[in-house]
Amino acid sequence: MAEEVAQEQPRPTAPRPVRCIVKLGGAAITNKGELESINEENLRSACAQLRHAMSESDGDGATEKVLGMDWSRKPGDPADPAVDAEWIAGMAGLGLDTNFIVVHGAGSFGHFQASRSGVHKGGLHSTLVKAGFVATRISVTSLNQEIVRALAREGIPSVGMSPFACGWSTQQRKLASANASQIIQSLHTGFVPVLHGDAVLDELLDCTILSGDVIIRHLAQLLSPRYVVFLTDVHGVYDRPPTDPNAVLLKEIEVDDNGGWSIVKPALLQGNTKGVEISVAAHDTTGGMETKILEAAVIARLGIDVYITKAGTEHSLRALKGDVSTDSEDWLGTIIRSSK
């Protein structure tokens, strides 16, 4: 389990504690069986729920006029986008708690290019790896732009940030340099940073893949959010691959000071410390659910609750709002927390 904190400049401080770091799982927002295909319905739902969770009004946000911030002309649009500048200028504010950070996986973007070229193994002296590095970044940054646009259409002032462009790098696949000053500055000014898994330079291997789950772990260590949410294509962590009809959803997992973890709920598995069976797609160069669980355990040891649940459901909305507790019997998902 990677626990080392990457070397930083003097530790920056946010104006107030970050409320939540959200991971949009690649399997939830893309169609992983189709190359570079976005699951538009899930992405729209996740963005709408994020706006609802950020809303400072008492309503559900459904009747509020949304300030769309994607003013780009899309292919096939008959006219330039309509922008009501006078109405926007008269707004007192957005009415949103924007103290969120979004990190997304790649799903059907990037993994194909990385696995075909071996970018995750390193070796930029190889023409194939160098070309694959470029191809991987083209793919993941194009997805990042689409997610930023989807968030912007919901009135969320989001800005895309690529770890490679921010100077993040690794040493033998472990995070070595991760300057978060641009992320902090963006939070200060009311923007929602949107990061993603990326191809990065590695001091020993030349290059590798930095997963979104590792990024979240590092940001949680640095910024101490109130809670962390992983939105996936399944309801949470199971004791075996969820496609198995006998799979059982693990509703609560405790992590001790040594990083060991045990199942608290359901009671039939209480005290089980053997872990879960992991299923990772052949093209997934970031470790899939295994990496997610390990990184979530590191976060939980910091005293930060981690919620893993299915995107686009009532359970994901409650998680994004932080409306989940260990007593929430009607909530479908996995809570990973410290045993303290």
Side-chain angles (χ1 to χ4, degrees):
M1 185 184 301
E3 297 183 16
E4 296 82 4
V5 178
Q7 292 182 353
E8 287 282 342
Q9 294 178 352
R11 184 183 179 97
T13 56
R16 62 190 189 281
V18 173
R19 179 174 163 191
C20 177
I21 300 177
V22 181
K23 169 69 184 295
L24 299 178
I29 58 172
T30 73
N31 301 306
K32 292 199 80 170
E34 303 175 33
L35 181 62
E36 297 185 341
S37 171
I38 295 175
N39 187 321
E40 301 284 357
E41 182 179 354
N42 274 3
L43 180 57
R44 277 195 301 269
S45 175
C47 293
Q49 288 190 347
L50 263 170
R51 180 174 63 85
H52 186 177
M54 293 177 180
S55 178
E56 294 172 343
S57 68
D58 294 330
D60 62 5
T63 59
E64 297 176 3
K65 184 176 179 180
V66 175
L67 168 55
M69 298 181 186
D70 179 9
W71 299 351
S72 302
R73 185 173 181 178
K74 304 170 189 63
D77 284 354
D80 294 342
V83 178
D84 190 345
E86 186 176 348
W87 172 68
I88 296 170
M91 293 180 66
L94 296 176
L96 300 176
D97 174 7
T98 57
N99 216 17
F100 281 65
I101 296 173
V102 175
V103 181
H104 66 82
S108 61
F109 290 72
H111 287 301
F112 168 79
Q113 292 85 350
S115 62
R116 284 295 295 269
S117 60
V119 169
H120 56 298
K121 299 176 182 177
L124 285 174
H125 58 277
S126 163
T127 304
L128 175 62
V129 173
K130 184 163 289 184
F133 189 97
V134 173
T136 299
R137 296 213 66 254
I138 288 173
S139 186
V140 296
T141 54
S142 67
L143 175 61
N144 181 254
Q145 183 182 49
E146 290 306 311
I147 290 173
V148 168
R149 292 180 72 168
L151 290 164
R153 286 192 288 270
E154 287 292 337
I156 298 172
S158 50
V159 287
M161 295 185 181
S162 292
F164 175 84
C166 291
W168 289 40
S169 63
T170 58
Q171 183 176 42
Q172 201 135 18
R173 300 191 180 93
K174 294 181 180 179
L175 196 56
S177 176
N179 189 336
S181 59
Q182 192 173 5
I183 298 170
I184 298 295
Q185 188 174 0
S186 297
L187 288 166
H188 277 211
T189 50
F191 289 110
V192 176
V194 184
L195 292 86
H196 58 89
D198 204 0
V200 297
L201 299 179
D202 187 283
E203 294 176 16
L204 296 179
L205 304 174
D206 291 340
C207 65
T208 193
I209 298 297
L210 176 64
S211 81
D213 297 330
V214 173
I215 293 170
I216 286 182
R217 182 257 300 167
H218 176 72
L219 292 177
Q221 290 174 317
L222 186 68
L223 300 175
S224 302
R226 284 168 48 193
Y227 53 96
V228 171
V229 176
F230 288 82
L231 299 183
T232 73
D233 61 336
V234 293
H235 280 296
V237 180
Y238 290 79
D239 66 338
R240 65 198 72 188
T243 51
D244 187 321
N246 295 316
V248 176
L249 177 65
L250 309 183
K251 298 204 68 175
E252 185 179 345
I253 296 172
E254 282 188 349
V255 182
D256 63 30
D257 286 340
N258 297 319
W261 59 279
S262 60
I263 298 166
V264 177
K265 295 179 182 178
L268 71 151
L269 295 175
Q270 199 168 62
N272 182 352
T273 58
K274 294 181 180 179
V276 298
E277 295 179 28
I278 303 296
S279 177
V280 179
H283 66 275
D284 193 337
T285 57
T286 61
M289 184 61 80
E290 182 175 18
T291 300
K292 197 181 311 296
I293 295 170
L294 295 177
E295 300 301 347
V298 174
I299 296 168
R301 287 175 62 191
L302 302 172
I304 301 167
D305 285 353
V306 178
Y307 310 136
I308 303 177
T309 191
K310 188 173 183 177
T313 64
E314 62 178 294
H315 312 290
S316 56
L317 177 58
R318 287 179 59 182
L320 291 170
K321 295 170 71 174
D323 185 22
V324 178
S325 73
T326 54
D327 298 323
S328 303
E329 295 296 335
D330 60 341
W331 183 74
L332 280 182
T334 300
I335 301 175
I336 302 180
R337 61 176 180 81
S338 170
S339 60
K340 291 180 181 179

